[in-house]
Structure formats: structure tokens, C-alpha cells
Amino acid sequence: MSPVRKPQPVDHSILNEMLALRLQQLEIENGGMEAFLPKTGLARGTYYTMLRGIGNPTLKTMERIASKLNMTVFELLGFEIDDARRALKKRGVDYDELTSAIRKKDEATRRVARQTRSQKLLG
């Protein structure tokens, strides 16, 4: 007789619940799950886990989803850009300078990755 699997404990967090609610909202706004799911770039099982407010999506995963949906992580979570600007300003960080620096870093990383791939193909 095979051993019985015990269900894993579920660790709910406010951030997971916020993301679940926001994904449900975006799903409705985008014509339902079948239309919305491909836009997220997520596997169906991962998406279902996130919709239930469980799992532990990394920031990188949330950034990837937001990028695929053409929004920021703040917008993905339901915040306005002005909220992010105010929060960063309190810490002495300019939102526009930060996003510009991140964009430049990402472009440089992609450029290096392309060069590395080209060198591997040639050599």
C-alpha cells in the first residue's frame, strides 16, 4: 500500500493575497482566464497557485508577469505609480532616475548575453 501524502501547510501572506486579488481583477478585465493566462507567461499550475494566494512567487517572477502585461510591479499589485514615487521620495530616491538606471542595466545585461551567445555560436 502506498503512503498517504499529507497536505503541505499553506502560508498565506498579505502580499500573496493582494497579488491573487489583482490577478483575478486583471483576468476579468482581459476577457477571462483563457484570454488572460497566455498574457502572463505563467504555467497554468503556477497561475492557479497564485490565484489561491499560496506559493511564494519571487520578485523576479512578479517583474516578469508585470513586464508581460506592460505594467510595473506596483501596478500589478494595484498601486499607482504616484504611490511608489511618494514612498521612494521619503527615502531620498527619485523614481524616474531609478527606473532609468534599471532600464540601462537591463539593456547592458541583454547586450552582454547576446554577445556571449554569438561568441558561442561562432566558436
Side-chain angles (χ1 to χ4, degrees), residues 22-48:
R22 185 68 169 129
L23 287 172
Q24 291 169 22
Q25 178 186 25
L26 291 168
E27 183 181 299
I28 291 167
E29 291 173 6
N30 284 275
M33 189 193 68
E34 294 305 320
F36 180 64
L37 181 59
K39 293 178 183 180
T40 66
L42 293 171
R44 190 174 296 271
T46 303
Y47 183 70
Y48 286 145

Side-chain angles (χ1 to χ4, degrees), residues 4-111:
V4 176
R5 282 171 80 183
K6 292 182 182 177
Q8 296 294 317
V10 176
D11 185 22
H12 290 276
S13 74
I14 297 233
L15 185 59
N16 285 348
E17 295 297 332
M18 287 174 64
L19 182 58
L21 290 169
R22 185 68 169 129
L23 287 172
Q24 291 169 22
Q25 178 186 25
L26 291 168
E27 183 181 299
I28 291 167
E29 291 173 6
N30 284 275
M33 189 193 68
E34 294 305 320
F36 180 64
L37 181 59
K39 293 178 183 180
T40 66
L42 293 171
R44 190 174 296 271
T46 303
Y47 183 70
Y48 286 145
T49 300
M50 292 172 79
L51 279 180
R52 291 192 325 260
I54 56 177
N56 192 16
T58 64
L59 285 174
K60 196 67 172 168
T61 298
M62 293 190 332
E63 286 175 337
R64 199 173 319 120
I65 296 167
S67 175
K68 295 246 183 211
L69 298 174
N70 206 19
M71 59 177 57
T72 67
V73 172
F74 298 111
E75 293 166 317
L76 176 64
L77 292 172
F79 293 104
E80 298 293 325
I81 294 298
D82 288 339
D83 296 330
R85 287 181 193 280
R86 278 192 301 279
L88 289 169
K89 187 175 181 179
K90 287 180 182 178
R91 300 288 179 225
V93 177
D94 181 87
Y95 177 87
D96 294 318
E97 288 177 12
L98 179 61
T99 56
S100 177
I102 291 169
R103 192 174 309 114
K104 287 177 185 176
K105 181 181 177 196
D106 287 345
E107 288 169 3
T109 301
R110 282 192 292 276
R111 196 169 33 257

